Every structure is written in C-alpha cells, then in structure tokens.
Amino acid sequence: AFTERARRAGPVRVETVEEAPQTFSAGTVGGDPYYTGNVRCSIGFSVHGGFVTAGHCGKQGASVSGWDRSYIGNFQGSSFP
C-alpha cells in the first residue's frame, strides 16, 4: 500500500547517508514544556500535525518554541475561557 501511494505522489528519491538525520526542532511529547514568548506551558498530547494544550496558553497565530527554544510552529486555534 505504501509503495502504491508513493507512486501516485510522484517521483521519489532515496539517498544513503553516513549520519542519521536529526530534527531541526524540539519534539512534541505530552508533558514537555513549550514557550510562547516568556510564557511556559506544557504539551497536553500529540495529534497529527502538532499538539493539543490548554486554551489559556496562547492565542491563534502566536509563535511557539519547544523545550529547547527552537521554533516549532504557531497556534492554529485557541479557545479560552
């Protein structure tokens, strides 16, 4: 099934490298801290494309940094109270 979806997606290039790839930003693990400016909050749980957290932690569009202060995205929505 995977190879059939890959064929439909278009050309695929496979490369062999000497070092394992590394991510460019912090991961999204439930309970880990993240930051919106000087505000520290915790990731609730991961979902496809990001994570869910408490609504009071940021407003839609606010920039989010991971535990290592690397940029990981922006709030896509917020509801509080």
Side-chain angles (χ1 to χ4, degrees), residues 46-65:
S46 297
V47 295
H48 182 71
F51 58 88
V52 176
T53 188
H56 64 268
C57 288
K59 296 183 179 182
Q60 185 172 351
S63 180
V64 179
S65 298

Side-chain angles (χ1 to χ4, degrees), residues 25-48:
S25 64
T28 54
V29 177
D32 277 357
Y34 72 91
Y35 300 88
T36 58
N38 290 329
V39 176
R40 181 185 187 274
C41 279
S42 297
I43 294 172
F45 57 91
S46 297
V47 295
H48 182 71

